[in-house]
Amino acid sequence: SNLLTSIIIITMKTAIFASLLAAVSAFAPASQKVAQTTSLSAFEEELGVQPPLGLWDPFGLLNGADQERFERLRYVEIKHGRICMLGVVGYLVNKAGIYLPGDISYGTSFESLGSGWDASFAVPVAGALQVLAFVGALELAFMKDATGENEFVGDFRNGFIDFGWDSFDAETQMAKRAIELNQGRAAQMGMLALMVHEQLGVSLIPSV
């Protein structure tokens, strides 16, 4: 049972690390224009291309990229940015001693798991399977353009949840998308830093 839990947790952490690598190439976002190009300069004015890096693609993964390729990279960047934003918040909340009430599985409370890496490996098999099932449900049914109504890559409203988005003008919408993009990038780097420093025994959190 401990082996299965370890495999599940390691797989999840590997996915987070892979997302960080993918985000490096995804700094150049997808254009909403229907076009194909082999020139990176065609995307230098797009959302997310900003000082000091500009259009940054150190691995050359965008060479010869078409519209579909751009949109795929943007989808990956936004998705994993959102995951890591939640991850950083969850990490900090647990480090502050705040946990969900109740049990993650019979006889194992959320509070008893602790925080950080140790908490990940302390999750019993039943709890890990619940997390896996929940993430799978989100992936298959909700966190995608299920209705074909999306206005841009990463728009998962699906005609259901709006939160006033349509009340914003075009300039405000672009600004908010840029904020999410940059916060997601920062969270990916932050999540990696928290994980690495914890393993090194050097906490990034004061008094921890």
Side-chain angles (χ1 to χ4, degrees), residues 26-91:
F27 273 26
S31 168
Q32 295 301 309
K33 302 175 183 178
V34 180
Q36 292 186 346
T37 181
T38 57
S39 175
L40 292 180
S41 63
F43 299 91
E44 289 179 348
E45 302 300 322
E46 297 295 338
L47 178 70
V49 179
Q50 59 192 45
L53 297 178
L55 186 60
W56 192 47
D57 179 26
F59 296 146
L61 299 180
L62 299 175
N63 294 340
D66 58 13
Q67 179 67 19
E68 183 178 358
R69 174 66 170 168
F70 270 107
E71 291 187 353
R72 174 59 184 169
L73 291 173
R74 170 46 52 89
Y75 172 82
V76 170
E77 180 180 22
I78 290 176
K79 177 180 177 181
H80 290 95
R82 290 169 177 171
I83 292 171
C84 286
M85 284 190 279
L86 290 172
V88 169
V89 171
Y91 186 99

Side-chain angles (χ1 to χ4, degrees), residues 10-179:
I10 291 173
T11 300
M12 294 171 66
K13 291 182 181 290
T14 301
I16 292 175
F17 182 72
S19 76
L20 296 172
L21 297 181
V24 172
S25 63
F27 273 26
S31 168
Q32 295 301 309
K33 302 175 183 178
V34 180
Q36 292 186 346
T37 181
T38 57
S39 175
L40 292 180
S41 63
F43 299 91
E44 289 179 348
E45 302 300 322
E46 297 295 338
L47 178 70
V49 179
Q50 59 192 45
L53 297 178
L55 186 60
W56 192 47
D57 179 26
F59 296 146
L61 299 180
L62 299 175
N63 294 340
D66 58 13
Q67 179 67 19
E68 183 178 358
R69 174 66 170 168
F70 270 107
E71 291 187 353
R72 174 59 184 169
L73 291 173
R74 170 46 52 89
Y75 172 82
V76 170
E77 180 180 22
I78 290 176
K79 177 180 177 181
H80 290 95
R82 290 169 177 171
I83 292 171
C84 286
M85 284 190 279
L86 290 172
V88 169
V89 171
Y91 186 99
L92 297 177
V93 166
N94 285 165
K95 284 294 183 182
I98 302 172
Y99 300 91
L100 291 173
D103 296 345
I104 189 171
S105 67
Y106 184 75
T108 304
S109 66
F110 285 99
E111 186 175 4
S112 68
L113 297 178
S115 60
W117 281 91
D118 291 339
S120 299
F121 290 101
V123 176
V125 173
L129 290 175
Q130 289 179 65
V131 173
L132 192 62
F134 177 67
V135 172
L138 291 177
E139 184 77 11
L140 295 174
F142 301 102
M143 298 293 103
K144 63 179 182 178
D145 178 25
T147 64
E149 300 176 77
N150 68 325
E151 297 177 1
F152 50 86
V153 178
D155 178 6
F156 298 152
R157 290 175 294 165
N158 294 313
F160 176 62
I161 299 177
D162 184 73
F163 295 119
W165 179 258
D166 288 334
S167 67
F168 300 133
D169 58 34
E171 183 177 356
T172 302
Q173 289 181 348
M174 288 293 286
K176 289 186 177 295
R177 288 175 59 196
I179 289 170

Side-chain angles (χ1 to χ4, degrees), residues 174-187:
M174 288 293 286
K176 289 186 177 295
R177 288 175 59 196
I179 289 170
E180 180 191 27
L181 191 61
N182 286 324
Q183 295 286 1
R185 291 169 175 174

